[in-house]
Amino acid sequence: MKEQKKQDATCEEELNAIRDSLEVLGGKWKLRIMRHLNNHINETNTFKKIQRDVDGISAKMLSKELQDLEINLLVSRTVLNTKPVTVRYDITTYGQSVFPVTESLVNWGLNHRRKIKQRG
């Protein structure tokens, strides 16, 4: 596995980078939407399909989050020439660069759930 070099950064730069990352990826829904799109990469992910599959998200919130993800180049939106018009959402190549981070979060979250469960 290719080892990534950590960029030399000051503490302030590292803290700013964390803040920036959380602003783009933070909240209850963004990573869940991105994970869904990545897990269903070979499917046509319409707004309704995403809303059905991402449990609990409202149409208004999904619309806002997809717009934010598109603005940040993490998700692409494609209008298909169908009747009625179909809009497809896909994870971008740049969006896929987030997945090493999400894998770490998934593993940490699974371990954390086990740890808390053992305590009780």
Side-chain angles (χ1 to χ4, degrees):
M1 188 159 88
K2 188 176 177 182
E3 189 175 317
Q4 259 187 333
K5 283 188 175 182
K6 182 183 173 198
Q7 296 178 9
D8 291 329
T10 66
C11 183
E12 181 181 0
E13 289 170 330
E14 288 180 354
L15 294 175
N16 287 339
I18 290 171
R19 183 196 64 221
D20 294 345
S21 299
L22 289 174
E23 283 181 14
V24 172
L25 300 171
K28 184 175 180 180
W29 302 108
K30 286 185 180 106
L31 288 176
R32 293 173 66 187
I33 293 166
M34 291 181 65
R35 189 79 182 190
H36 168 79
L37 291 173
N38 194 64
N39 289 348
H40 299 272
I41 202 159
N42 294 319
E43 299 174 23
T44 301
N45 289 294
T46 63
F47 185 91
K48 284 292 183 188
K49 181 179 185 319
I50 298 167
Q51 187 179 13
R52 256 193 326 269
D53 293 348
V54 178
D55 189 40
I57 193 166
S58 69
K60 182 177 178 181
M61 181 58 71
L62 179 57
S63 178
K64 178 197 169 302
E65 298 292 56
L66 285 169
Q67 286 175 2
D68 287 350
L69 291 168
E70 187 179 4
I71 287 167
N72 285 291
L73 308 176
L74 301 170
V75 167
S76 65
R77 179 181 185 272
T78 307
V79 178
L80 303 175
N81 189 18
T82 59
K83 299 255 186 215
V85 171
T86 304
V87 178
R88 183 182 76 211
Y89 295 91
D90 295 291
I91 189 98
T92 63
T93 301
Y94 181 59
Q96 289 175 337
S97 70
V98 172
F99 286 94
V101 175
T102 63
E103 278 302 309
S104 294
L105 286 171
V106 167
N107 290 332
W108 186 88
L110 291 170
N111 288 332
H112 178 69
R113 283 181 176 256
R114 281 192 288 272
K115 183 117 178 132
I116 296 301
K117 201 174 195 179
Q118 289 172 354
R119 186 183 71 177

